[in-house]
Amino acid sequence: MRFLSQIQEDTIPIILGLGALHSVRSLVVSPIGKPVVIVWEPLPEVFELPAFQTEIEGLSEKAKENGFTLVLVTGITPNWNEIKEKLSLSTREKVPINQKWTLYVTPSYERYFSNLIEECRENFLSQFQSQNTNQNTIQHFRKVWTHNYLKNKSTLGKTNEAIHWFQSFHGTNSHVLFLGASPGLERDIESIKKQRNTFTLFASDTSIGYLLKHSIVPDYILSFDSGRGTLFHFLVDLPTTIPIITWLGGSPCLFELPNPKILVNTGHPLDQIVAFYFQNEKGFHWPHIQNPSLNLLGMMISITKGILNRNLVLSGVSFVSEFGKSHCGGTGYERYYLPQLHRKQSMESFTKRLYSGVRKGKNQLVWDELLSAKTTENIQNYSELTAFNTNKPFEQTVELNTFQGFPPRISDLAKWANQDQSGIIHSKTLNVWLRFSLG
């Protein structure tokens, strides 16, 4: 059946309508690595049949033998929130809180119960979606993400550049310094220069101009923004040896640089497809890196979790304006706004909208998450270092684990992506690329 080919890695399927049941039998015989599959039958004239109930009991037992749980949900208005809580308890670590849930519809129900399907998507399925997901951001960027992903893949194919697919950072008792681009970085910069060799240094793309101006070369640059504005941060004399940690949907300007690229699995549907491809075709595991904060700081915290007893230090991280400025000097914002400056219009008048004197919205959520993490992990601001001696040498340096490979052809990606129902992949952009692509 068609819906079986739609089910993707890293999602828990909710299947609407059993139909003749032989489709679900196929799913039980050939499990797809899901800890849970929910089958929803809304019609009482179907689920009340004794033969139907007997069939479901048998399928549930076979599902358990194959290592996953088959759950039957009945009725037109099930309590999805209650079901989610029960499943989280029964499966423990197998169903993380931010696990993706996706609705798949059997063809007959898709034809006959379109209103019911729409109601499910609008009301029931929302119970399974992460509350941190910004739907406005998805609607705004989904075309850019899809376009960048396919463009960057094509660029890498033409250059035959070696690609590093991120797996983890490893180390023990290592000092890790993350540099954002808030004005506070200017206060710490001289001390950071003196202590540079004490840390493995991760820099945000926004801060790279200011760091190079002060002769500080980071070990890694993080850049995940897909917008064209990212280009302005890299209009500097960038050493070609600095690896850039990004993703395939990142700004295309990054993939025109000679610097090594380290690609992270962000959980975007196209990343899910590539991860599935690597696992099944190459035997490589490309882990999904969780980043609920949707911020570079959150990404850095996530990718360095494999470092045991990590001492994490932050500078240039505040999410508010300081000293009348939103960012430190030398960022791409200065290069972007430079043509518009005159004696009556200062740089601060343009950039003040980026951060105000009060954290709010997403910035407040990121800050709250950081404060929460400080209570369980060794995280400190650079200006407040007290818990460990930064003059102490590394006990073990930080090691990067990656594997080499190349993503599937665009036509292979499209075979799966065309059936994505998340709304994140922009189908029209995908089909345009497929029409004019040779790979």
Side-chain angles (χ1 to χ4, degrees), residues 271-294:
D271 274 350
Q272 294 180 36
I273 295 170
V274 172
F276 180 80
Y277 164 82
F278 279 134
Q279 185 68 47
N280 288 271
E281 299 294 330
K282 306 293 184 181
F284 296 143
H285 176 55
W286 191 36
H288 171 204
I289 305 301
Q290 304 284 349
N291 181 22
S293 68
L294 306 177

Side-chain angles (χ1 to χ4, degrees), residues 41-95:
E41 175 51 66
L43 303 179
E45 53 266 37
V46 175
F47 65 73
E48 290 179 357
L49 290 173
F52 175 88
Q53 296 174 10
T54 301
E55 182 82 5
I56 280 293
E57 290 177 3
L59 290 173
S60 297
E61 291 299 321
K62 291 181 181 179
K64 291 180 181 179
E65 295 175 3
N66 283 281
F68 71 99
T69 303
L70 184 68
V71 177
L72 174 66
V73 176
T74 59
I76 295 179
T77 58
N79 187 334
W80 291 108
N81 193 40
E82 180 180 336
I83 295 168
K84 178 183 178 181
E85 292 177 358
K86 290 181 179 179
L87 287 174
S88 298
L89 291 174
S90 63
T91 56
R92 297 184 178 90
E93 74 279 2
K94 293 182 179 180
V95 184

Side-chain angles (χ1 to χ4, degrees), residues 175-187:
H175 304 325
V176 177
L177 175 60
F178 174 77
L179 299 181
S182 79
L185 179 61
E186 298 177 354
R187 176 190 58 229

Side-chain angles (χ1 to χ4, degrees), residues 386-407:
T386 56
F388 62 93
N389 182 2
T390 56
N391 292 314
K392 181 181 178 181
F394 288 122
E395 294 187 19
Q396 179 178 330
T397 58
V398 174
E399 297 180 355
L400 170 65
N401 292 333
T402 63
F403 63 86
Q404 296 290 312
F406 205 77

Side-chain angles (χ1 to χ4, degrees), residues 124-170:
F124 302 149
L125 201 59
S126 63
Q127 298 292 338
F128 294 93
Q129 295 175 343
S130 170
Q131 298 303 309
N132 291 323
T133 301
N134 189 325
Q135 295 300 323
N136 292 331
T137 300
I138 291 174
Q139 290 302 313
H140 181 74
F141 281 105
R142 66 192 188 103
K143 183 176 181 179
V144 174
W145 290 335
T146 306
H147 171 77
N148 286 0
Y149 207 99
L150 302 176
K151 180 178 180 179
N152 294 335
K153 181 194 176 303
S154 298
T155 299
L156 291 173
K158 293 175 182 177
T159 59
N160 293 319
E161 181 179 345
I163 306 185
H164 302 269
W165 302 89
F166 176 82
Q167 291 182 295
S168 63
F169 279 106
H170 282 299

